[in-house]
PDB file of all heavy atoms in Angstrom:
ATOM      1  N   LEU A  30      82.249  30.910 -34.121  1.00 98.00           N
ATOM      2  CA  LEU A  30      82.450  32.360 -34.020  1.00 98.00           C
ATOM      3  C   LEU A  30      82.360  32.831 -32.570  1.00 98.00           C
ATOM      4  O   LEU A  30      83.109  33.728 -32.153  1.00 98.00           O
ATOM      5  CB  LEU A  30      81.429  33.096 -34.887  1.00 98.00           C
ATOM      6  CG  LEU A  30      81.653  32.974 -36.394  1.00 98.00           C
ATOM      7  CD1 LEU A  30      80.493  33.608 -37.151  1.00 98.00           C
ATOM      8  CD2 LEU A  30      82.966  33.609 -36.802  1.00 98.00           C
ATOM      9  N   MET A  31      81.460  32.235 -31.792  1.00 98.00           N
ATOM     10  CA  MET A  31      81.382  32.606 -30.375  1.00 98.00           C
ATOM     11  C   MET A  31      82.640  32.178 -29.629  1.00 98.00           C
ATOM     12  O   MET A  31      83.129  32.906 -28.749  1.00 98.00           O
ATOM     13  CB  MET A  31      80.146  31.979 -29.729  1.00 98.00           C
ATOM     14  CG  MET A  31      78.856  32.651 -30.138  1.00 98.00           C
ATOM     15  SD  MET A  31      77.432  32.097 -29.196  1.00 98.00           S
ATOM     16  CE  MET A  31      77.239  30.426 -29.799  1.00 98.00           C
ATOM     17  N   MET A  32      83.182  31.020 -29.954  1.00 98.00           N
ATOM     18  CA  MET A  32      84.422  30.576 -29.319  1.00 98.00           C
ATOM     19  C   MET A  32      85.578  31.483 -29.697  1.00 98.00           C
ATOM     20  O   MET A  32      86.417  31.823 -28.852  1.00 98.00           O
ATOM     21  CB  MET A  32      84.738  29.129 -29.712  1.00 98.00           C
ATOM     22  CG  MET A  32      83.878  28.122 -29.010  1.00 98.00           C
ATOM     23  SD  MET A  32      84.111  26.405 -29.499  1.00 98.00           S
ATOM     24  CE  MET A  32      85.832  26.267 -29.829  1.00 98.00           C
ATOM     25  N   LEU A  33      85.630  31.911 -30.952  1.00 98.00           N
ATOM     26  CA  LEU A  33      86.674  32.832 -31.389  1.00 98.00           C
ATOM     27  C   LEU A  33      86.566  34.164 -30.653  1.00 98.00           C
ATOM     28  O   LEU A  33      87.576  34.717 -30.184  1.00 98.00           O
ATOM     29  CB  LEU A  33      86.578  33.048 -32.902  1.00 98.00           C
ATOM     30  CG  LEU A  33      87.566  34.034 -33.503  1.00 98.00           C
ATOM     31  CD1 LEU A  33      88.986  33.520 -33.369  1.00 98.00           C
ATOM     32  CD2 LEU A  33      87.227  34.304 -34.953  1.00 98.00           C
ATOM     33  N   ALA A  34      85.347  34.690 -30.513  1.00 97.00           N
ATOM     34  CA  ALA A  34      85.158  35.955 -29.803  1.00 97.00           C
ATOM     35  C   ALA A  34      85.574  35.823 -28.343  1.00 97.00           C
ATOM     36  O   ALA A  34      86.248  36.709 -27.800  1.00 97.00           O
ATOM     37  CB  ALA A  34      83.697  36.393 -29.908  1.00 97.00           C
ATOM     38  N   ALA A  35      85.198  34.734 -27.688  1.00 96.00           N
ATOM     39  CA  ALA A  35      85.574  34.538 -26.286  1.00 96.00           C
ATOM     40  C   ALA A  35      87.086  34.413 -26.153  1.00 96.00           C
ATOM     41  O   ALA A  35      87.690  34.987 -25.235  1.00 96.00           O
ATOM     42  CB  ALA A  35      84.886  33.296 -25.739  1.00 96.00           C
ATOM     43  N   PHE A  36      87.715  33.690 -27.059  1.00 96.00           N
ATOM     44  CA  PHE A  36      89.169  33.529 -27.015  1.00 96.00           C
ATOM     45  C   PHE A  36      89.869  34.865 -27.184  1.00 96.00           C
ATOM     46  O   PHE A  36      90.801  35.196 -26.442  1.00 96.00           O
ATOM     47  CB  PHE A  36      89.606  32.543 -28.105  1.00 96.00           C
ATOM     48  CG  PHE A  36      91.082  32.345 -28.192  1.00 96.00           C
ATOM     49  CD1 PHE A  36      91.761  31.655 -27.214  1.00 96.00           C
ATOM     50  CD2 PHE A  36      91.805  32.862 -29.266  1.00 96.00           C
ATOM     51  CE1 PHE A  36      93.133  31.478 -27.293  1.00 96.00           C
ATOM     52  CE2 PHE A  36      93.162  32.693 -29.349  1.00 96.00           C
ATOM     53  CZ  PHE A  36      93.839  31.998 -28.368  1.00 96.00           C
ATOM     54  N   LEU A  37      89.423  35.674 -28.129  1.00 94.00           N
ATOM     55  CA  LEU A  37      90.052  36.976 -28.358  1.00 94.00           C
ATOM     56  C   LEU A  37      89.828  37.923 -27.175  1.00 94.00           C
ATOM     57  O   LEU A  37      90.715  38.707 -26.823  1.00 94.00           O
ATOM     58  CB  LEU A  37      89.526  37.598 -29.648  1.00 94.00           C
ATOM     59  CG  LEU A  37      89.961  36.885 -30.933  1.00 94.00           C
ATOM     60  CD1 LEU A  37      89.276  37.518 -32.136  1.00 94.00           C
ATOM     61  CD2 LEU A  37      91.463  36.915 -31.092  1.00 94.00           C
ATOM     62  N   LEU A  38      88.650  37.863 -26.554  1.00 92.00           N
ATOM     63  CA  LEU A  38      88.392  38.718 -25.401  1.00 92.00           C
ATOM     64  C   LEU A  38      89.231  38.308 -24.197  1.00 92.00           C
ATOM     65  O   LEU A  38      89.706  39.156 -23.436  1.00 92.00           O
ATOM     66  CB  LEU A  38      86.910  38.677 -25.037  1.00 92.00           C
ATOM     67  CG  LEU A  38      85.991  39.465 -25.957  1.00 92.00           C
ATOM     68  CD1 LEU A  38      84.532  39.189 -25.609  1.00 92.00           C
ATOM     69  CD2 LEU A  38      86.274  40.954 -25.858  1.00 92.00           C
ATOM     70  N   LEU A  39      89.422  37.013 -23.997  1.00 91.00           N
ATOM     71  CA  LEU A  39      90.195  36.544 -22.854  1.00 91.00           C
ATOM     72  C   LEU A  39      91.691  36.786 -23.020  1.00 91.00           C
ATOM     73  O   LEU A  39      92.418  36.805 -22.033  1.00 91.00           O
ATOM     74  CB  LEU A  39      89.930  35.058 -22.613  1.00 91.00           C
ATOM     75  CG  LEU A  39      88.538  34.741 -22.089  1.00 91.00           C
ATOM     76  CD1 LEU A  39      88.321  33.246 -22.031  1.00 91.00           C
ATOM     77  CD2 LEU A  39      88.337  35.364 -20.724  1.00 91.00           C
ATOM     78  N   ARG A  40      92.158  36.974 -24.245  1.00 91.00           N
ATOM     79  CA  ARG A  40      93.579  37.241 -24.495  1.00 91.00           C
ATOM     80  C   ARG A  40      93.947  38.698 -24.273  1.00 91.00           C
ATOM     81  O   ARG A  40      95.124  39.046 -24.281  1.00 91.00           O
ATOM     82  CB  ARG A  40      93.930  36.888 -25.943  1.00 91.00           C
ATOM     83  CG  ARG A  40      94.067  35.411 -26.179  1.00 91.00           C
ATOM     84  CD  ARG A  40      94.556  35.119 -27.575  1.00 91.00           C
ATOM     85  NE  ARG A  40      95.744  35.882 -27.912  1.00 91.00           N
ATOM     86  CZ  ARG A  40      95.980  36.423 -29.111  1.00 91.00           C
ATOM     87  NH1 ARG A  40      95.127  36.265 -30.081  1.00 91.00           N
ATOM     88  NH2 ARG A  40      97.082  37.095 -29.348  1.00 91.00           N
ATOM     89  N   ARG A  41      92.967  39.572 -24.070  1.00 89.00           N
ATOM     90  CA  ARG A  41      93.255  41.002 -23.931  1.00 89.00           C
ATOM     91  C   ARG A  41      94.100  41.266 -22.700  1.00 89.00           C
ATOM     92  O   ARG A  41      93.782  40.814 -21.611  1.00 89.00           O
ATOM     93  CB  ARG A  41      91.955  41.797 -23.823  1.00 89.00           C
ATOM     94  CG  ARG A  41      91.189  41.837 -25.111  1.00 89.00           C
ATOM     95  CD  ARG A  41      89.905  42.559 -24.906  1.00 89.00           C
ATOM     96  NE  ARG A  41      90.135  43.875 -24.356  1.00 89.00           N
ATOM     97  CZ  ARG A  41      89.537  44.969 -24.788  1.00 89.00           C
ATOM     98  NH1 ARG A  41      88.680  44.904 -25.762  1.00 89.00           N
ATOM     99  NH2 ARG A  41      89.790  46.124 -24.244  1.00 89.00           N
ATOM    100  N   PRO A  42      95.197  42.024 -22.847  1.00 84.00           N
ATOM    101  CA  PRO A  42      96.070  42.279 -21.696  1.00 84.00           C
ATOM    102  C   PRO A  42      95.438  43.217 -20.666  1.00 84.00           C
ATOM    103  O   PRO A  42      95.815  43.194 -19.504  1.00 84.00           O
ATOM    104  CB  PRO A  42      97.316  42.895 -22.313  1.00 84.00           C
ATOM    105  CG  PRO A  42      96.868  43.463 -23.606  1.00 84.00           C
ATOM    106  CD  PRO A  42      95.724  42.600 -24.072  1.00 84.00           C
ATOM    107  N   ASP A  43      94.484  44.050 -21.062  1.00 82.00           N
ATOM    108  CA  ASP A  43      93.921  45.003 -20.113  1.00 82.00           C
ATOM    109  C   ASP A  43      92.923  44.360 -19.152  1.00 82.00           C
ATOM    110  O   ASP A  43      92.435  45.027 -18.240  1.00 82.00           O
ATOM    111  CB  ASP A  43      93.287  46.187 -20.835  1.00 82.00           C
ATOM    112  CG  ASP A  43      92.189  45.771 -21.787  1.00 82.00           C
ATOM    113  OD1 ASP A  43      92.197  44.617 -22.227  1.00 82.00           O
ATOM    114  OD2 ASP A  43      91.332  46.615 -22.102  1.00 82.00           O
ATOM    115  N   LEU A  44      92.641  43.075 -19.287  1.00 77.00           N
ATOM    116  CA  LEU A  44      91.753  42.410 -18.340  1.00 77.00           C
ATOM    117  C   LEU A  44      92.430  42.188 -16.996  1.00 77.00           C
ATOM    118  O   LEU A  44      91.756  42.035 -15.981  1.00 77.00           O
ATOM    119  CB  LEU A  44      91.294  41.055 -18.899  1.00 77.00           C
ATOM    120  CG  LEU A  44      90.297  41.103 -20.042  1.00 77.00           C
ATOM    121  CD1 LEU A  44      90.000  39.688 -20.518  1.00 77.00           C
ATOM    122  CD2 LEU A  44      89.019  41.779 -19.604  1.00 77.00           C
ATOM    123  N   ASP A  45      93.762  42.192 -16.962  1.00 77.00           N
ATOM    124  CA  ASP A  45      94.499  41.941 -15.735  1.00 77.00           C
ATOM    125  C   ASP A  45      94.889  43.217 -15.001  1.00 77.00           C
ATOM    126  O   ASP A  45      95.522  43.157 -13.961  1.00 77.00           O
ATOM    127  CB  ASP A  45      95.769  41.144 -16.028  1.00 77.00           C
ATOM    128  CG  ASP A  45      95.460  39.753 -16.492  1.00 77.00           C
ATOM    129  OD1 ASP A  45      94.404  39.234 -16.113  1.00 77.00           O
ATOM    130  OD2 ASP A  45      96.274  39.186 -17.230  1.00 77.00           O
ATOM    131  N   ARG A  46      94.514  44.366 -15.516  1.00 79.00           N
ATOM    132  CA  ARG A  46      94.920  45.633 -14.909  1.00 79.00           C
ATOM    133  C   ARG A  46      93.718  46.371 -14.348  1.00 79.00           C
ATOM    134  O   ARG A  46      92.662  46.393 -14.960  1.00 79.00           O
ATOM    135  CB  ARG A  46      95.593  46.522 -15.949  1.00 79.00           C
ATOM    136  CG  ARG A  46      96.918  45.981 -16.398  1.00 79.00           C
ATOM    137  CD  ARG A  46      97.661  47.025 -17.206  1.00 79.00           C
ATOM    138  NE  ARG A  46      98.464  46.332 -18.188  1.00 79.00           N
ATOM    139  CZ  ARG A  46      98.377  46.503 -19.484  1.00 79.00           C
ATOM    140  NH1 ARG A  46      97.536  47.373 -19.977  1.00 79.00           N
ATOM    141  NH2 ARG A  46      99.131  45.824 -20.307  1.00 79.00           N
ATOM    142  N   GLU A  47      93.936  46.997 -13.207  1.00 79.00           N
ATOM    143  CA  GLU A  47      92.909  47.858 -12.627  1.00 79.00           C
ATOM    144  C   GLU A  47      93.077  49.256 -13.220  1.00 79.00           C
ATOM    145  O   GLU A  47      94.201  49.731 -13.377  1.00 79.00           O
ATOM    146  CB  GLU A  47      93.062  47.942 -11.107  1.00 79.00           C
ATOM    147  CG  GLU A  47      92.774  46.641 -10.399  1.00 79.00           C
ATOM    148  CD  GLU A  47      91.302  46.284 -10.450  1.00 79.00           C
ATOM    149  OE1 GLU A  47      90.462  47.196 -10.419  1.00 79.00           O
ATOM    150  OE2 GLU A  47      91.018  45.080 -10.533  1.00 79.00           O
ATOM    151  N   PRO A  48      91.975  49.927 -13.546  1.00 74.00           N
ATOM    152  CA  PRO A  48      92.114  51.295 -14.075  1.00 74.00           C
ATOM    153  C   PRO A  48      92.606  52.244 -12.994  1.00 74.00           C
ATOM    154  O   PRO A  48      92.235  52.134 -11.828  1.00 74.00           O
ATOM    155  CB  PRO A  48      90.700  51.649 -14.524  1.00 74.00           C
ATOM    156  CG  PRO A  48      89.806  50.743 -13.758  1.00 74.00           C
ATOM    157  CD  PRO A  48      90.599  49.504 -13.469  1.00 74.00           C
TER     158      PRO A  48
END
Side-chain angles (χ1 to χ4, degrees):
L30 289 174
M31 286 189 290
M32 285 176 35
L33 177 65
F36 177 71
L37 291 175
L38 285 172
L39 290 174
R40 283 186 51 219
R41 290 177 55 135
D43 59 337
L44 288 177
D45 293 332
R46 292 191 212 122
E47 293 290 326

